[in-house]
Amino acid sequence: MQKTPESKLVDPFGRKISYLRLSVTDRCDLRCVYCMAEEMVFLPKKELLTIEELYRVASRMIDLGVTKIRLTGGEPLVRRNIMVLFEMLGKHLGHGLEELTLTTNGTLLARYAEALVQNGVKRVNVSLDTLDPVRYHQLTRRGDIAHVLAGIDAAQKAGLKVKLNAVAMRGGFLGEVDDLIRFAHGRGMDLTVIEEMPMGYTGHDRYETFLSLGALRKSLEQRWTLVPDAHCSGGPARYVTVKETGGRLGFITPLSCDFCASCNRVRIGSTGKLYPCMGQSGMVELREAIRSSESDEKLTELILKAIDSKPKGHEFSIEKDGICGLSRHMSELGG
Ligand code: SAM
Ligand code: SF4
């Protein structure tokens, strides 16, 4: 393996930015209630970066010090020719890039699992909030859970390590989380529960559905033995091992716990906006620099400017008298 070049991506608070989450599309085949509105208006295709432009910005980030890239969306696997991007980025593995991965809703995973492995992907995160087919259909406003379960099967068969992500919400989840734990751990998968973040209008009342992970944890502790785990992903998840299953359970608590001090990541949206922090509205527009010149000079200058503007922390909160959130959807910049 070649030596990683010294990172140029260090923010004003001394945090080294080594992790890029790259949204490759704002489109999705589902409409999860916490993420998208039922009638989403997607961006005109010409506004999205092309596969070549996504590659150009990602490879520039690798040159500057990014060692891990996660493709996300929208749903990354609905993007046409997405495997071309995986193939191009996969060639950087072992040459600056240490990990290439994705977050997916899993509906198309059965089709792509083998190709992902061939392009160097070793792990995938699959979002699944319930095992009940009827509730899955309701929560995603259209999905068929059989496709996701087939995707998980295919991914594991192809040799991918799968982690499940579930958004915790009041109304149903407390009664289903035990099944999710048994399912995930029974198949050797970690499960991470995520606190709902106030991003974008989706047509459901977040104050009504917000379930703090503190409350969830208290409820879990009545039935399971949660042993604090030293495992650290470098991200906002805090882990425990469930003694009864031997499996790992993560908690992502952006609202009720501060993880910003160790943040190592930035996000680039599918139109080329670089967001130094998911929980603040600041961003730097890269698309014009990418489209107007073949030289990377301006692009590099803008990336460094964005890193230099990374704030100390997010500004999310869900209060009794209202939600302090962001008008953009999670799918716009990638979760
Ligand atoms: N479509 C893919 C998927 O669902 O995994 C990737 C994109 S999705 C925006 C990434 C993650 O964000 C998913 O795990 C999803 O559950 C989570 N997510 C979406 N909206 C959220 C919200 N408002 N609060 C917390 N998590 C959210
Ligand atoms: Fe689509 Fe993922 Fe958002 Fe659900 S969470 S609507 S699968 S982008």
Side-chain angles (χ1 to χ4, degrees):
M1 186 181 290
Q2 289 188 0
K3 194 171 171 288
T4 309
E6 201 178 314
S7 177
K8 304 216 169 30
L9 304 180
V10 180
D11 80 1
F13 303 96
R15 294 170 298 193
K16 198 163 139 186
I17 308 307
S18 55
Y19 181 10
L20 168 65
R21 295 172 78 105
L22 178 62
S23 174
V24 297
T25 179
D26 63 334
R27 287 159 170 77
C28 186
D29 51 347
L30 303 180
R31 297 287 185 278
C32 301
V33 293
Y34 44 76
C35 178
M36 289 193 183
E38 177 109 50
E39 304 297 334
M40 278 298 278
V41 179
F42 295 111
L43 295 165
K45 286 211 171 121
K46 64 176 186 328
E47 289 197 20
L48 303 186
L49 296 187
T50 63
I51 292 288
E52 291 70 26
E53 289 168 343
L54 287 165
Y55 173 67
R56 182 165 159 207
V57 71
S59 54
R60 192 68 203 117
M61 293 295 282
I62 298 170
D63 293 343
L64 290 169
V66 158
T67 58
K68 172 174 173 179
I69 296 181
R70 176 179 299 279
L71 299 194
T72 177
E75 172 49 41
L77 295 182
V78 304
R79 174 80 199 241
R80 189 194 289 254
N81 291 333
I82 191 62
M83 284 304 135
V84 175
L85 183 60
F86 273 105
E87 196 183 330
M88 292 194 288
L89 288 175
K91 295 201 165 72
H92 288 261
L93 286 165
H95 307 279
L97 187 63
E98 290 165 13
E99 182 169 26
L100 176 61
T101 181
L102 80 155
T103 299
T104 172
N105 63 27
T107 58
L108 296 172
L109 199 48
R111 189 186 301 170
Y112 290 119
E114 290 281 354
L116 289 168
V117 172
Q118 279 161 20
N119 291 316
V121 174
K122 293 198 162 53
R123 302 190 300 154
V124 293
N125 287 0
V126 177
S127 303
L128 183 62
D129 306 317
T130 176
L131 289 173
D132 176 345
V134 175
R135 215 171 110 74
Y136 181 80
H137 188 81
Q138 283 166 354
L139 283 174
T140 59
R141 297 196 183 104
R142 60 194 59 191
D144 179 349
I145 198 170
H147 296 152
V148 186
L149 298 177
I152 292 171
D153 282 345
Q156 290 196 308
K157 199 162 157 233
L160 288 165
K161 194 163 164 45
V162 180
K163 178 165 85 72
L164 294 189
N165 284 341
V167 176
M169 286 194 294
R170 240 186 270 169
F173 191 75
L174 279 174
E176 292 166 342
V177 62
D178 289 1
D179 287 343
L180 275 171
I181 291 174
R182 283 188 206 97
F183 172 73
H185 294 177
R187 301 183 54 142
M189 304 184 285
D190 288 357
L191 170 68
T192 299
V193 286
I194 310 172
E195 214 166 59
E196 185 178 351
M197 291 175 241
M199 299 189 69
Y201 170 80
T202 68
H204 92 138
D205 183 345
R206 295 193 197 277
Y207 178 64
E208 280 300 312
T209 57
F210 181 71
L211 172 65
S212 101
L213 294 197
L216 173 69
R217 193 167 169 153
K218 273 205 187 99
S219 160
L220 287 171
E221 279 168 348
Q222 290 172 7
R223 303 179 301 282
W224 304 94
T225 315
L226 307 183
V227 184
D229 190 316
H231 175 80
C232 176
S233 65
R238 298 287 170 264
Y239 288 90
V240 297
T241 297
V242 179
K243 197 171 165 205
E244 289 77 3
T245 61
R248 199 181 281 146
L249 179 63
F251 296 88
I252 299 189
T253 52
L255 300 183
S256 50
C257 162
D258 199 7
F259 55 80
C260 302
S262 59
C263 182
N264 63 351
R265 62 193 62 191
V266 293
R267 292 169 165 80
I268 296 181
S270 52
T271 62
K273 294 182 167 73
L274 198 169
Y275 298 92
C277 171
M278 181 173 72
Q280 293 218 11
S281 51
M283 57 88 186
V284 172
E285 174 69 75
L286 304 179
R287 189 178 61 199
E288 188 50 32
I290 296 171
R291 291 195 173 162
S292 62
S293 168
E294 281 181 13
S295 152
D296 281 341
E297 199 178 322
K298 182 72 184 164
L299 175 62
T300 306
E301 185 190 316
L302 290 175
I303 292 170
L304 296 178
K305 181 177 154 200
I307 302 301
D308 213 37
S309 70
K310 187 169 165 69
K312 199 168 177 194
H314 69 69
E315 284 180 346
F316 285 133
S317 69
I318 292 185
E319 307 288 350
K320 214 177 168 61
D321 53 353
I323 295 171
C324 169
L326 293 165
S327 60
R328 66 172 183 243
H329 288 93
M330 186 72 125
S331 54
E332 194 181 318
L333 77 164

